[in-house]
Amino acid sequence: MGRLACIDGITSAPEEAKVSVYDRGFLYGDSIFETIRTYAGEPYALDEHMARLERSAALVAIEMPIDKATLALEVRRVIRAARNDESSARVMLTRGAGPMGLDPSLALKPTRVILVEPLTPPGLAVYRDGVSVITTRAQRASDAAHGAKVGNYLASLLALKTAHAAGAHEAVFVTPSVDHDGDVVEGATSNVFIVKDGALITPPPEAGILVGITRAHVLDVARELGLEAREARVIESEMRAADEVFITSSIREIVSVIAIDGARVGNGTPGPITRRIHTAFRAKVGLGALPLPWSEK
Ligand SMILES: Cc1ncc(COP(=O)(O)O)c(C=O)c1O
């Protein structure tokens, strides 16, 4: 099982891969990225990830050093070279190195890095039992470049630290609003869905979310199943009173939330609609034959 790094097109073992201490990704978190996983060795939704990277680059005014189709080929090449059964790949773009100083024009040339590792998806128990989350009122760091997947994850990281200290799997950002309730935004590294009376609701882009690729596929899958699925404001009390809640991300796919701040969601077990959607999602990614915990005999 292999780990590889590729910097500006040159692939090496990660231990040999070096980036300048003057790289602005290091100095200022001046970077964007994508996390991608493979199914049967093929990077899933690669074009969508490359398109989002290109959008992030435009939002933070980092020039794409190579076009997205060429970058996609490079990602495929590094994944193939790593020879894992399944891989995860992190594709990063920083503004590059240059003399110290905040002025972005000091950066000379963007740095692109691809890191490939064996995929470590959640264990079956996570899907079988669901997870607990906490809510957090912090703001995410990317507000300056709304919608961009920027490298600075400090707010998420601190929220996750608090979640783990509380024995929870994920932290859900809630922004205070003029109403008494806060607005649900997203998880530290995931999007949030609630299920109420058979319908799926997920906060819209205007809520300040990162528009997840898994989120879009889940909306599609739900509609294909004939379920009502809409993007709409979700207030905190609605999330707490939902029949089912789940989070989505590329690596974890769909994970049931069975408790929020220690209080049970629904009956405290992964719900039937979440399971149905996950089963259909697996079929869509081409892994319909692989069992999820509830389809095991
Ligand atoms: C803040 C945030 N929101 C949502 C997501 C889910 O996005 P995707 O489904 O594209 O992986 C992520 C994934 O890392 C994330 O970091």
Side-chain angles (χ1 to χ4, degrees):
M1 299 290 241
R3 293 165 64 240
L4 285 177
C6 177
I7 302 179
D8 296 335
I10 297 169
T11 304
S12 68
E15 307 74 53
E16 280 145 33
K18 301 280 188 286
V19 175
S20 164
V21 288
Y22 287 100
D23 193 284
R24 297 176 60 97
F26 175 67
L27 287 177
Y28 306 118
D30 189 358
S31 66
I32 54 171
F33 75 104
E34 284 296 316
T35 303
I36 302 156
R37 62 157 288 173
T38 64
Y39 289 100
E42 278 297 303
Y44 183 65
L46 182 57
D47 291 347
E48 287 161 69
H49 281 283
M50 292 298 100
R52 187 169 66 187
L53 189 76
E54 192 179 57
R55 275 199 307 279
S56 297
L59 282 165
V60 302
I62 292 180
E63 205 179 316
M64 293 281 282
I66 55 176
D67 67 70
K68 63 176 192 285
T70 313
L71 184 57
L73 287 175
E74 195 166 276
V75 172
R76 284 184 188 282
R77 182 169 58 72
V78 185
I79 287 173
R80 265 199 309 275
R83 303 171 80 93
N84 298 313
D85 289 342
E86 300 291 5
S87 296
S88 63
R90 187 180 162 100
V91 183
M92 283 169 274
L93 212 52
T94 81
R95 202 176 302 278
M100 199 130 67
L102 207 56
D103 178 2
S105 70
L106 292 167
L108 303 176
K109 175 170 114 3
T111 308
R112 69 179 190 278
V113 177
I114 302 166
L115 297 178
V116 171
E117 308 203 331
L119 179 75
T120 49
L124 278 187
V126 166
Y127 298 122
R128 188 190 60 219
D129 304 337
V131 298
S132 56
V133 303
I134 59 157
T135 55
T136 176
R137 263 146 222 289
Q139 293 277 346
R140 283 203 54 236
S142 64
D143 289 354
H146 178 55
K149 194 164 163 75
V150 299
N152 185 340
Y153 260 53
L154 206 53
S156 288
L157 178 160
L158 293 175
L160 205 57
K161 184 172 185 290
T162 309
H164 288 170
H169 171 93
E170 176 68 301
V172 172
F173 286 98
V174 173
T175 45
S177 71
V178 281
D179 309 312
H180 291 300
D181 257 301
D183 279 307
V184 175
V185 183
E186 63 183 335
T189 61
S190 60
N191 291 117
V192 176
F193 284 76
I194 69 167
V195 180
K196 191 68 186 174
D197 300 328
L200 258 71
I201 313 167
T202 191
E206 308 83 76
I209 63 166
L210 178 80
V211 181
I213 287 162
T214 320
R215 172 185 177 277
H217 289 212
V218 163
L219 285 170
D220 287 349
V221 157
R223 287 168 187 149
E224 281 158 25
L225 289 173
L227 296 167
E228 185 189 333
R230 59 179 191 271
E231 299 173 78
R233 183 183 183 201
V234 175
I235 59 177
E236 195 180 345
S237 55
E238 287 172 326
M239 177 174 72
R240 294 186 193 279
D243 302 325
E244 301 177 31
V245 175
F246 63 85
I247 54 173
T248 62
S249 77
S250 295
I251 303 290
R252 288 168 293 178
E253 303 174 336
I254 296 160
V255 173
S256 238
V257 172
I258 49 116
I260 301 170
D261 296 327
R264 233 163 54 168
V265 174
N267 69 2
T269 58
I273 292 187
T274 306
R275 290 175 172 208
R276 232 179 112 196
I277 290 171
H278 201 171
T279 305
F281 178 88
R282 276 278 172 97
K284 183 173 174 170
V285 299
L287 281 194
L290 274 194
L292 281 158
W294 46 88
S295 48
E296 276 176 341
K297 295 278 165 325

